[in-house]
Amino acid sequence: MRVLVIVDAAIGRDGPRAEGDGVLQMIRWLDRAPESFSSEFVPTEAPAFRLPPAGPNQVIRFDTRKLYAALNARRTTRGMTWEQVQP
């Protein structure tokens, strides 16, 4: 039996909202690729996109510094302000 380590606050009770790190934990627990939740997903690509294994007390987290650096680099390359960046 695999145990899912996640706090209640990571899943929104008021609608379809969730915390990024909590989503990674849920996807890992489901043993699915994050892309498998996309309508354009090609099932044959699943093994290549699986999340890395982690121990029972480990939590997979986003590296927010790297994420910010990548966003900022793309924004700068496109000559955009932060207000112009859309999700």
Side-chain angles (χ1 to χ4, degrees):
M1 178 174 80
R2 291 181 301 172
V3 176
L4 176 61
V5 179
I6 189 167
V7 295
D8 293 345
I11 304 171
R13 292 192 184 104
D14 300 326
R17 289 181 275 175
E19 192 176 284
D21 294 341
V23 170
L24 289 175
Q25 289 299 103
M26 289 183 275
I27 292 171
R28 192 183 75 170
W29 188 79
L30 291 168
D31 195 30
R32 289 180 58 178
E35 289 80 3
S36 70
F37 294 94
S38 168
S39 58
E40 294 88 26
F41 179 68
V42 179
T44 58
E45 297 174 353
F49 296 109
R50 290 273 160 94
L51 294 172
N57 296 320
Q58 293 178 310
V59 176
I60 298 173
R61 300 204 184 276
F62 286 102
D63 186 333
T64 55
R65 288 186 175 114
K66 285 184 180 179
L67 180 58
Y68 174 84
L71 284 169
N72 193 43
R74 177 70 55 91
R75 178 190 66 81
T76 303
T77 299
R78 293 182 176 182
M80 300 170 71
T81 66
W82 280 112
E83 290 77 27
Q84 295 170 313
V85 175
Q86 296 294 318

